[in-house]
Amino acid sequence: MENYKHILLAVDFYEHCEAVANRAKDLANKFQAKLSIIHVVDSLPITEAGYGVDIPFNMDLTTELMAGAKKRLAILAEKLAVSEERLWLEMGSPKAEIIRIAEENKVDLIVIGSHGRHGLALLLGSTANGVLHHATCDVLAVRLQDE
Ligand code: AMP
């Protein structure tokens, strides 16, 4: 098996994310690979036609979410010794953005958790599932156990 050269860690900042981060860091060390980190702030719907109501796009809330995420990303990056140019803070669909950033940056392994906020009720979370099905590189879904 060829060594991985560029690993992308996808973090959602929920409780299990440290285990996923540690696995990505171990693999990066083992393969002497570059390590990048991505977090995607879910975009808010401007209108939700299905409910018959308009949800106004809240710029203040979006700015606050991005600022909070930026801080958490910086803390994690420091812990994993990942430099600023390898941090990706995006807005949109997590699945689509993880795949886009991976493709644009020649990532050869994406490391994600098997599930996130939805817990074990879903065997494979929807982001994990989407990335596994649509990524053009290898994907490691770190099996997370609920304590
Ligand atoms: P989920 O499919 O939402 O249960 O989450 C599974 C995994 O996908 C998480 O453990 C993270 O590794 C990744 N993930 C989920 N949401 C995001 C997000 N907004 N940004 C980056 N990674 C995410």
Side-chain angles (χ1 to χ4, degrees):
M1 186 176 72
E2 262 203 35
N3 279 3
Y4 291 113
K5 294 187 180 70
H6 191 183
I7 296 174
L8 179 65
L9 160 67
V11 286
D12 58 7
F13 297 125
Y14 285 95
E15 55 190 289
H16 295 296
C17 107
E18 209 179 317
V20 184
N22 291 340
R23 182 63 62 86
K25 179 69 180 171
D26 285 351
L27 286 169
N29 288 344
K30 187 163 179 240
F31 289 111
Q32 307 253 297
K34 286 191 287 192
L35 179 62
S36 296
I37 312 176
I38 181 168
H39 175 72
V40 184
V41 174
D42 256 305
S43 48
L44 300 170
I46 295 172
T47 57
E48 185 46 90
Y51 299 139
V53 289
D54 282 345
I55 302 170
F57 184 77
N58 188 327
M59 190 56 90
D60 289 346
L61 177 60
T62 307
T63 310
E64 243 175 74
L65 286 174
M66 290 295 270
K70 196 173 176 189
K71 274 190 204 149
R72 300 202 67 174
L73 198 55
I75 292 169
L76 180 64
E78 200 182 341
K79 215 167 147 192
L80 301 183
V82 172
S83 55
E84 213 183 323
E85 69 270 15
R86 296 210 198 293
L87 300 182
W88 302 98
L89 178 58
E90 305 298 324
M91 183 179 288
S93 144
K95 175 191 85 175
E97 290 303 301
I98 292 166
I99 291 171
R100 181 179 69 81
I101 293 296
E103 283 175 359
E104 286 178 7
N105 293 278
K106 297 192 170 58
V107 163
D108 46 15
L109 178 68
I110 299 171
V111 178
I112 53 177
S114 56
H115 63 268
R117 76 196 110 158
H118 306 297
L120 275 181
L122 291 175
L123 284 179
L124 202 58
S126 61
T127 305
N129 202 23
V131 171
L132 270 169
H133 279 96
H134 298 286
T136 51
C137 65
D138 288 359
V139 178
L140 173 68
V142 177
R143 172 64 61 204
L144 298 170
Q145 309 285 343
D146 272 355
E147 278 104 46

